[in-house]
Amino acid sequence: MDIRSIIIDDEPNNIENLRLLLNQYCPEISIAATAINADNGIEVINAFKPDLIFLDIQMPGKSGFDLLKAFNSINFEIIFITAYDQYGIQAIKFSALDYLLKPININELKLAVEKARQKIIAKQKDHNIINLLEYIKAGNKEIPKIALPTLQEIMYVRVDNIIRCEASNNYTLFYLQNGEKVLVCKTLKEFAELLTPHNFVRTHQSHLVNLHFVKSFLREDGGTLLLTDQAKVPISRQNRDMVKEKLNSTL
């Protein structure tokens, strides 16, 4: 199947480079149009009704996120193209969406295109995009939801409803406030990077805890956290001082 696509990037050289890569490695992609800024991008999206857009996040004036805000509904798939941008990547990871870092890695490009192709075929409403827009619009004013991809579905959970996370090989087990347990197909390290700014602390190599649910610090076994659900979470020796400091700062 041909995937009608649009490239939106403020650097013409980047557009041409991506066009060449797609022509060589992703023959199913048909480039219907390109745009060099957000306003132009909105115009060509409305004109060509693409299946997929390759969208640069950082552009002069309006960003790629500003472009998305212009649409009441998103009827196309998105692969973000970006130089390193902490906030942008944080938002995208929270929503379990695909992004490619410049310079573009060919294998990552092919994988992202294949995932987009599968979504287009399935014609599923992309709740990941909805979650991304909610995250961006809320900024720091509201508590965000995080996408938790399981083997059966993608769940969207407010971060303040997560009590703790526990490593299980290459998976992460989430313990939620309602008593539910969710096994997610990602490592604890990935979630620690996302959740630490939201009042979570890595107490141990295998444990990540939401400090809002800490009931007390127990001196047993060199340091243990008792949580409001009565779970006891160990604290590693090397993390003990850091955990105490975090607890004191939340009082």
Side-chain angles (χ1 to χ4, degrees):
M1 64 173 290
D2 281 343
I3 300 175
R4 186 188 299 111
S5 304
I6 290 173
I7 302 174
I8 304 171
D9 193 307
D10 64 296
E11 293 288 343
N13 288 342
N14 290 339
I15 291 177
E16 186 58 27
N17 179 60
L18 179 54
R19 187 200 297 272
L20 291 172
L21 291 176
L22 290 169
N23 285 341
Q24 184 171 357
Y25 297 103
C26 305
E28 67 271 38
I29 297 294
S30 172
I31 305 301
T34 63
I36 58 171
N37 57 52
D39 289 333
N40 186 206
I42 293 168
E43 292 175 2
V44 295
I45 288 171
N46 287 327
F48 290 93
K49 311 296 183 187
D51 302 307
L52 171 67
I53 67 171
F54 296 87
L55 180 61
D56 189 16
I57 295 177
Q58 295 172 304
M59 295 183 287
K62 295 179 181 178
S63 70
F65 291 155
D66 293 326
L67 177 150
L68 294 178
K69 293 177 188 177
F71 294 90
N72 291 325
S73 61
I74 303 295
N75 300 315
F76 45 82
E77 299 300 325
I78 302 170
I79 297 174
F80 294 95
I81 311 291
T82 182
Y84 187 74
D85 176 88
Q86 182 60 45
Y87 174 75
I89 290 177
Q90 180 90 346
I92 293 166
K93 285 183 176 179
F94 251 85
S95 305
L97 290 162
D98 282 315
Y99 70 93
L100 300 171
L101 286 176
K102 302 174 184 176
I104 294 172
N105 178 281
I106 293 170
N107 289 332
E108 291 177 356
L109 173 64
K110 291 165 67 175
L111 179 61
V113 167
E114 175 57 23
K115 289 167 69 175
R117 187 186 71 84
Q118 292 176 7
K119 287 183 180 180
I120 292 165
I121 291 174
K123 293 183 178 179
Q124 295 175 338
K125 184 177 182 181
D126 200 337
H127 292 282
N128 294 352
I129 293 292
I130 296 171
N131 194 61
L132 171 70
L133 293 176
E134 289 178 351
Y135 186 101
I136 296 165
K137 289 176 181 178
N140 294 323
K141 298 176 184 177
E142 297 179 14
I143 297 168
K145 291 181 181 179
I146 187 169
L148 303 182
T150 72
L151 293 174
Q152 294 80 26
E153 60 184 338
I154 298 179
M155 296 180 62
Y156 297 90
V157 177
R158 278 174 47 126
V159 297
D160 63 338
N161 287 332
I162 301 168
I163 297 176
R164 63 188 178 97
C165 310
E166 184 175 348
S168 179
N169 296 320
N170 289 325
Y171 292 82
T172 300
L173 185 60
F174 279 72
Y175 293 80
L176 305 184
Q177 192 173 11
N178 63 3
E180 190 173 0
K181 298 177 185 179
V182 181
L183 187 63
V184 179
C185 315
K186 287 187 177 181
T187 65
L188 184 65
K189 180 178 183 295
E190 293 179 77
F191 288 113
E193 293 173 356
L194 290 175
L195 292 172
T196 295
H198 296 278
N199 211 41
F200 283 71
V201 62
R202 189 81 174 263
T203 65
H204 183 278
Q205 183 178 1
S206 300
H207 296 277
L208 181 69
V209 171
N210 186 341
L211 291 174
H212 287 303
F213 292 100
V214 174
K215 185 176 182 180
S216 59
F217 178 95
L218 305 177
R219 300 185 188 280
E220 63 186 44
D221 300 324
T224 302
L225 292 183
L226 177 64
L227 306 187
T228 54
D229 65 349
Q230 303 307 309
K232 290 184 178 181
V233 177
I235 303 172
S236 65
R237 181 176 301 175
Q238 60 267 34
N239 289 349
R240 191 180 307 152
D241 291 340
M242 179 271 293
V243 171
K244 286 183 176 179
E245 182 179 342
K246 290 278 190 180
L247 285 170
N248 290 334
S249 66
T250 61
L251 296 177

